């Protein structure tokens, strides 16, 4: 990855937070800024063409209660029913 030097203006409070985090974690401040630029670039990117996202058919509408029941069932399978040891 080729790097290019640039200058940006940042909020003083944000810069203070980055400096503190860099000192605390032993990372260069520049890593935080490169990461932030990368996230901003991903957010700004526009993708060409259609996405090939598979469609999942549930045979009808799915309600909030259906989702809650499915999550509760999955939790019960993994952790056991409330009130009993798993």
């Amino acid at each position: 990855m080729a790097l290019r030097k640039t200058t940006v203006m940042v909020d003083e409070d944000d810069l203070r937070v980055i400096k503190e985090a860099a000192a605390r974690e032993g990372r260069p401040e520049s890593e935080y800024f490169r990461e932030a630029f990368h996230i901003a670039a991903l957010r700004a990117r526009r993708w060409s063409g259609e996405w090939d996202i598979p469609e999942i058919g549930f045979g009808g509408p799915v309600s909030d209660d259906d989702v809650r029941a499915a999550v509760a069932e999955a939790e019960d399978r993994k952790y056991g029913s409330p009130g009993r040891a798993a």
Side-chain angles (χ1 to χ4, degrees):
M1 165 178 61
L3 299 178
R4 182 172 175 170
K5 186 175 180 177
T6 189
T7 302
V8 296
M9 303 294 289
V10 298
D11 181 84
E12 288 181 15
D13 290 334
D14 292 342
L15 182 59
R16 178 185 48 77
V17 170
I18 294 298
K19 287 182 175 291
E20 290 171 357
R24 182 177 60 247
E25 297 178 15
R27 292 173 57 193
E29 295 169 25
S30 59
E31 282 187 20
Y32 291 91
F33 293 108
R34 277 193 295 275
E35 184 178 331
F37 266 74
H38 182 66
I39 291 168
L42 289 173
R43 251 185 104 195
R45 180 173 283 168
R46 297 295 179 253
W47 303 96
S48 62
E50 293 294 319
W51 288 22
D52 185 21
I53 300 173
E55 184 176 310
I56 300 173
F58 292 106
V62 178
S63 70
D64 291 348
D65 289 335
D66 294 332
V67 173
R68 285 187 194 93
V71 169
E73 180 183 324
E75 287 177 337
D76 187 46
R77 279 196 312 269
K78 184 168 184 173
Y79 302 111
S81 295
R84 73 170 191 194

